[in-house]
Amino acid sequence: MSMRTRSRRPRLLAVLGLVLGLAGTAVAAPAVAHDDLLASDPAADSEVAQLPDAVTLTYSGVLIDEPGVNAISVTDAAGTELAEGTPTLDGTTVSQALTGDSQGPITVRWRVVSSDGHPVSGEFSFTAGDPAAAPTGPAEPSEPDAAAEGLPAVFWIVVAIVVVAGVAALVVALVAASRRRTED
Protein backbone atom coordinates (compact mmCIF):
# COMPACT_ATOMS: atom_id res chain seq x y z
CA MET A 1 0.00 0.00 0.00
CA SER A 2 1.44 3.35 -0.95
CA MET A 3 2.01 6.18 1.47
CA ARG A 4 -0.52 8.27 -0.44
CA THR A 5 -3.29 5.66 0.11
CA ARG A 6 -2.52 5.38 3.83
CA SER A 7 -2.80 9.16 4.29
CA ARG A 8 -6.24 9.18 2.65
CA ARG A 9 -7.69 6.42 4.79
CA PRO A 10 -7.86 8.51 8.04
CA ARG A 11 -9.49 11.35 6.10
CA LEU A 12 -11.97 8.93 4.56
CA LEU A 13 -12.80 7.51 7.99
CA ALA A 14 -13.17 11.01 9.44
CA VAL A 15 -15.56 12.04 6.64
CA LEU A 16 -17.50 8.80 7.06
CA GLY A 17 -17.76 9.37 10.82
CA LEU A 18 -18.93 12.94 10.28
CA VAL A 19 -21.57 11.88 7.75
CA LEU A 20 -22.83 9.07 10.00
CA GLY A 21 -22.92 11.42 12.98
CA LEU A 22 -24.93 14.00 11.06
CA ALA A 23 -27.26 11.30 9.74
CA GLY A 24 -27.80 9.99 13.26
CA THR A 25 -28.59 13.48 14.50
CA ALA A 26 -31.03 14.11 11.66
CA VAL A 27 -32.87 10.86 12.29
CA ALA A 28 -32.96 11.41 16.07
CA ALA A 29 -34.29 14.98 15.81
CA PRO A 30 -37.99 13.97 15.88
CA ALA A 31 -37.48 12.25 19.23
CA VAL A 32 -37.08 15.59 21.05
CA ALA A 33 -39.27 15.70 24.15
CA HIS A 34 -42.60 17.36 23.50
CA ASP A 35 -44.68 19.31 25.98
CA ASP A 36 -46.91 17.07 28.11
CA LEU A 37 -50.40 17.55 29.48
CA LEU A 38 -49.85 18.19 33.20
CA ALA A 39 -53.41 18.80 34.40
CA SER A 40 -56.98 19.31 33.28
CA ASP A 41 -60.08 20.92 34.75
CA PRO A 42 -62.19 18.83 35.08
CA ALA A 43 -59.57 16.22 35.86
CA ALA A 44 -59.37 12.95 33.94
CA ASP A 45 -61.68 10.27 35.38
CA SER A 46 -63.32 12.77 37.72
CA GLU A 47 -67.03 13.26 38.42
CA VAL A 48 -68.53 16.75 38.37
CA ALA A 49 -72.08 17.80 39.32
CA GLN A 50 -72.82 19.26 35.87
CA LEU A 51 -71.17 20.02 32.56
CA PRO A 52 -68.73 22.90 33.19
CA ASP A 53 -68.70 26.10 31.12
CA ALA A 54 -65.21 25.20 29.84
CA VAL A 55 -62.49 22.59 29.84
CA THR A 56 -59.00 23.85 30.73
CA LEU A 57 -55.78 21.98 29.89
CA THR A 58 -52.36 22.87 31.34
CA TYR A 59 -49.14 21.79 29.59
CA SER A 60 -45.47 21.58 30.58
CA GLY A 61 -44.39 24.27 28.11
CA VAL A 62 -45.64 27.31 26.24
CA LEU A 63 -47.66 26.18 23.23
CA ILE A 64 -47.53 27.57 19.70
CA ASP A 65 -50.32 30.12 19.20
CA GLU A 66 -51.20 30.06 15.50
CA PRO A 67 -54.76 30.08 14.16
CA GLY A 68 -56.15 26.57 13.74
CA VAL A 69 -53.19 24.61 15.12
CA ASN A 70 -54.68 23.82 18.53
CA ALA A 71 -57.97 21.91 18.73
CA ILE A 72 -60.12 20.50 21.50
CA SER A 73 -63.14 18.30 20.85
CA VAL A 74 -65.53 17.55 23.71
CA THR A 75 -68.29 15.00 23.11
CA ASP A 76 -70.97 13.27 25.14
CA ALA A 77 -71.87 9.55 25.02
CA ALA A 78 -73.97 10.09 21.86
CA GLY A 79 -71.08 11.80 20.09
CA THR A 80 -72.63 15.27 20.24
CA GLU A 81 -69.98 17.98 20.01
CA LEU A 82 -70.08 20.20 23.11
CA ALA A 83 -67.13 22.49 22.28
CA GLU A 84 -68.19 25.98 21.27
CA GLY A 85 -65.88 28.17 19.22
CA THR A 86 -62.12 27.88 19.12
CA PRO A 87 -59.80 27.14 22.03
CA THR A 88 -58.24 30.06 23.89
CA LEU A 89 -54.49 29.84 24.52
CA ASP A 90 -52.68 31.60 27.35
CA GLY A 91 -49.06 30.42 27.51
CA THR A 92 -49.19 26.89 28.92
CA THR A 93 -52.99 26.80 29.32
CA VAL A 94 -55.67 26.12 26.71
CA SER A 95 -59.36 26.61 27.48
CA GLN A 96 -62.31 25.42 25.40
CA ALA A 97 -65.80 26.83 26.01
CA LEU A 98 -68.58 24.24 26.26
CA THR A 99 -72.27 24.41 25.45
CA GLY A 100 -75.21 22.23 26.41
CA ASP A 101 -76.21 20.33 29.49
CA SER A 102 -75.11 16.80 28.64
CA GLN A 103 -74.77 14.30 31.45
CA GLY A 104 -72.82 11.09 31.74
CA PRO A 105 -69.44 10.27 30.23
CA ILE A 106 -67.75 13.21 28.50
CA THR A 107 -64.73 12.64 26.25
CA VAL A 108 -62.10 15.32 25.67
CA ARG A 109 -59.80 14.91 22.65
CA TRP A 110 -57.04 17.45 22.24
CA ARG A 111 -54.28 18.32 19.81
CA VAL A 112 -51.87 21.19 20.40
CA VAL A 113 -48.57 22.26 18.91
CA SER A 114 -45.73 21.84 21.37
CA SER A 115 -43.12 24.56 21.95
CA ASP A 116 -40.71 22.45 19.86
CA GLY A 117 -43.08 22.79 16.87
CA HIS A 118 -44.42 19.23 16.92
CA PRO A 119 -48.10 18.41 17.46
CA VAL A 120 -49.03 16.34 20.50
CA SER A 121 -52.44 14.87 21.16
CA GLY A 122 -54.40 12.75 23.56
CA GLU A 123 -57.74 12.17 25.16
CA PHE A 124 -59.35 11.63 28.53
CA SER A 125 -62.85 11.35 29.98
CA PHE A 126 -64.79 12.63 32.94
CA THR A 127 -68.39 12.20 34.09
CA ALA A 128 -70.86 15.10 34.31
CA GLY A 129 -74.02 14.87 36.42
CA ASP A 130 -75.92 11.59 36.50
CA PRO A 131 -74.20 8.87 34.45
CA ALA A 132 -77.56 7.09 34.04
CA ALA A 133 -78.96 10.16 32.21
CA ALA A 134 -76.31 9.91 29.49
CA PRO A 135 -77.62 10.25 25.94
CA THR A 136 -77.07 7.31 23.62
CA GLY A 137 -76.90 7.14 19.89
CA PRO A 138 -74.93 5.89 16.94
CA ALA A 139 -73.22 9.21 16.21
CA GLU A 140 -69.49 9.04 15.59
CA PRO A 141 -67.48 11.24 17.95
CA SER A 142 -65.76 14.11 16.21
CA GLU A 143 -62.03 14.60 16.54
CA PRO A 144 -59.62 17.47 16.12
CA ASP A 145 -58.52 18.08 12.54
CA ALA A 146 -56.15 15.23 11.68
CA ALA A 147 -54.55 17.18 8.80
CA ALA A 148 -52.25 19.03 11.19
CA GLU A 149 -51.16 15.96 13.15
CA GLY A 150 -47.59 16.23 11.88
CA LEU A 151 -45.48 13.74 10.05
CA PRO A 152 -46.22 10.06 10.67
CA ALA A 153 -43.57 7.70 12.00
CA VAL A 154 -43.34 5.93 8.63
CA PHE A 155 -42.05 9.20 7.12
CA TRP A 156 -39.13 9.25 9.57
CA ILE A 157 -38.41 5.57 8.90
CA VAL A 158 -38.23 6.28 5.16
CA VAL A 159 -35.96 9.29 5.82
CA ALA A 160 -33.66 7.09 7.93
CA ILE A 161 -33.49 4.44 5.20
CA VAL A 162 -32.71 7.06 2.54
CA VAL A 163 -29.98 8.62 4.72
CA VAL A 164 -28.37 5.24 5.44
CA ALA A 165 -28.53 4.28 1.75
CA GLY A 166 -26.97 7.63 0.80
CA VAL A 167 -24.15 7.18 3.29
CA ALA A 168 -23.54 3.63 2.05
CA ALA A 169 -23.44 4.85 -1.56
CA LEU A 170 -20.98 7.60 -0.58
CA VAL A 171 -18.71 5.13 1.20
CA VAL A 172 -18.76 2.74 -1.78
CA ALA A 173 -17.98 5.60 -4.17
CA LEU A 174 -15.11 6.88 -2.00
CA VAL A 175 -13.62 3.40 -1.59
CA ALA A 176 -13.89 2.73 -5.34
CA ALA A 177 -12.25 6.08 -6.13
CA SER A 178 -9.49 5.34 -3.65
CA ARG A 179 -8.83 1.94 -5.22
CA ARG A 180 -8.68 3.44 -8.72
CA ARG A 181 -6.14 6.00 -7.59
CA THR A 182 -4.09 3.27 -5.91
CA GLU A 183 -4.07 1.19 -9.10
CA ASP A 184 -2.93 4.15 -11.21
Side-chain angles (χ1 to χ4, degrees):
M1 197 178 284
S2 74
M3 183 66 151
R4 190 172 171 184
T5 303
R6 280 188 226 156
S7 67
R8 285 188 189 150
R9 185 162 285 153
R11 282 187 279 173
L12 178 61
L13 290 174
V15 169
L16 178 61
L18 178 64
V19 169
L20 288 174
L22 290 173
T25 302
V27 172
V32 173
H34 305 302
D35 295 326
D36 294 322
L37 178 64
L38 297 178
S40 65
D41 183 21
D45 301 322
S46 68
E47 294 181 15
V48 295
Q50 63 186 23
L51 186 70
D53 294 332
V55 169
T56 303
L57 309 175
T58 303
Y59 295 87
S60 60
V62 175
L63 303 175
I64 304 283
D65 189 9
E66 294 292 327
V69 300
N70 299 312
I72 299 176
S73 172
V74 181
T75 55
D76 63 16
T80 303
E81 182 62 51
L82 305 173
E84 181 176 51
T86 59
T88 305
L89 177 64
D90 182 16
T92 61
T93 305
V94 181
S95 296
Q96 175 64 60
L98 303 179
T99 185
D101 59 358
S102 290
Q103 295 186 43
I106 306 295
T107 302
V108 178
R109 291 179 182 85
W110 53 269
R111 187 204 71 250
V112 296
V113 179
S114 187
S115 58
D116 65 4
H118 291 93
V120 290
S121 60
E123 74 176 65
F124 65 92
S125 297
F126 66 92
T127 303
D130 181 10
T136 59
E140 288 289 318
S142 61
E143 296 184 23
D145 180 16
E149 284 292 325
L151 299 173
V154 71
F155 171 81
W156 295 112
I157 292 169
V158 170
V159 167
I161 290 170
V162 169
V163 168
V164 169
V167 168
L170 178 64
V171 168
V172 168
L174 290 172
V175 168
S178 175
R179 285 184 182 159
R180 271 182 272 167
R181 286 188 201 118
T182 303
E183 292 173 358
D184 291 340

